[in-house]
Amino acid sequence: MLEPGEVIARTEEYVRSALAGDRTGHDWWHVDRVRRLALRLGRDEGADEFVVELAALLHDLDDAKFSNSETASAAAAAAWLETLELDKQLVDDVVSIIAGVSFAGEATPDQALSIEGECVRDADRLDALGAIGIGRAFAYGGFSGRDMHNPHVGPHSGMTRSVYRSTESTTINHFYEKLLLLRERMATSTGRRLAEQRHQKTKAFLDEFLKEWNGAD
Ligand code: ADP
Ligand code: NI
């Protein structure tokens, strides 16, 4: 059986090469930030740090937006973990976290997760908020050829998973359709505190953007 440190080192190397060159918001540095944040939350919660780190590293290997299956990331993680011949319970714990991380629309409730899973999910969502989250949203919008803003296209509310996945929206609408909803969905206490700060920064940016757009600055 491999030592935990060796499992992490091999997984990190694998994920780095698998995500190299990604421009969809799931590049290696997103994964690295989520790993560091998830470990920070995990320490505050007394979570199993090995499970937290492994799940964080593998959480975006494949993404539902770019494949037909909502469970593609979990399947890709399972396939990798299989090659390491780990304890079956550990693999199941990590894979079920990855299957429950995604935000999939306002009307799609979050799955119940282990405390380790809550740390990874909170960390992933924190990286969608604040200065970095704003940067990622515009990078993603540019990558997918979307308008930054269109005053004639308003945000949708109450989206289900399939509507959320299939609706083309502007980057500014994404703030209303996802980013500003995340604060209410935090599960850990440190996550809630950081989300509150990042929410305020995100909201302040949005207000400023619309003020300038409308000539009200
Ligand atoms: P995560 O890695 O947090 O699960 P997603 O896979 O939903 O995030 O998206 C990757 C990044 O792209 C996130 O920062 C997210 O906010 C952003 N993003 C996703 N959909 C859109 C969109 N329609 N417009 C702008 N940004 C988006
Ligand atoms: Ni992610």
Side-chain angles (χ1 to χ4, degrees):
M1 197 80 88
L2 292 172
E3 291 297 314
E6 184 64 21
V7 171
I8 296 295
R10 288 198 197 183
T11 301
E12 174 169 339
E13 192 184 309
Y14 174 67
V15 173
R16 249 181 215 277
S17 67
L19 301 185
D22 179 283
R23 289 291 171 266
T24 66
H26 295 127
D27 60 306
W28 162 252
W29 292 111
H30 163 64
V31 171
D32 186 54
R33 289 189 303 270
V34 170
R35 178 244 298 256
R36 288 186 285 120
L37 255 174
L39 282 170
R40 180 175 164 194
L41 304 184
R43 278 189 283 273
D44 293 349
E45 298 291 330
D48 180 324
E49 295 186 20
F50 182 44
V51 172
V52 168
E53 189 164 12
L54 204 48
L57 283 172
L58 292 167
H59 88 278
D60 270 334
L61 259 193
D62 202 349
D63 192 271
K65 288 195 296 313
F66 304 104
S67 59
N68 294 322
S69 163
E70 195 69 33
T71 54
S73 272
W80 164 251
L81 293 170
E82 196 95 336
T83 69
L84 299 177
E85 297 177 3
L86 298 167
D87 177 66
K88 188 173 175 317
Q89 186 62 51
L90 171 68
V91 174
D92 286 352
D93 290 349
V94 170
V95 171
S96 52
I97 290 173
I98 296 165
V101 161
S102 246
F103 174 86
E106 188 177 10
T108 309
D110 289 328
Q111 287 176 34
L113 286 180
S114 60
I115 183 64
E116 288 77 18
E118 290 181 339
C119 293
V120 174
R121 185 165 60 196
D122 280 8
D124 193 33
R125 291 173 176 184
L126 285 167
D127 203 56
L129 286 174
I132 287 176
I134 293 165
R136 289 178 74 212
F138 285 96
Y140 179 92
F143 172 83
S144 26
R146 297 182 177 190
D147 277 344
M148 186 164 72
H149 179 48
N150 181 339
H152 302 301
V153 181
H156 294 258
S157 60
M159 286 200 282
T160 59
R161 181 184 300 269
S162 57
V163 174
Y164 179 74
R165 291 283 176 233
S166 59
T167 304
E168 279 278 316
S169 205
T170 65
T171 299
I172 289 297
N173 284 345
H174 184 66
F175 282 65
Y176 298 101
E177 291 162 355
K178 174 181 174 184
L179 306 186
L180 296 177
L181 307 175
L182 296 176
R183 176 178 63 166
E184 305 304 326
R185 294 191 182 220
M186 291 289 145
T188 66
S189 58
T190 308
R192 258 193 299 280
R193 182 172 63 76
L194 295 175
E196 179 59 39
Q197 294 171 15
R198 294 188 186 198
H199 179 96
Q200 297 305 337
K201 291 183 217 167
T202 309
K203 182 77 176 54
F205 169 85
L206 184 60
D207 292 346
E208 197 54 40
F209 183 103
L210 294 172
K211 232 195 247 174
E212 290 178 14
W213 189 284
N214 295 321
D217 58 333

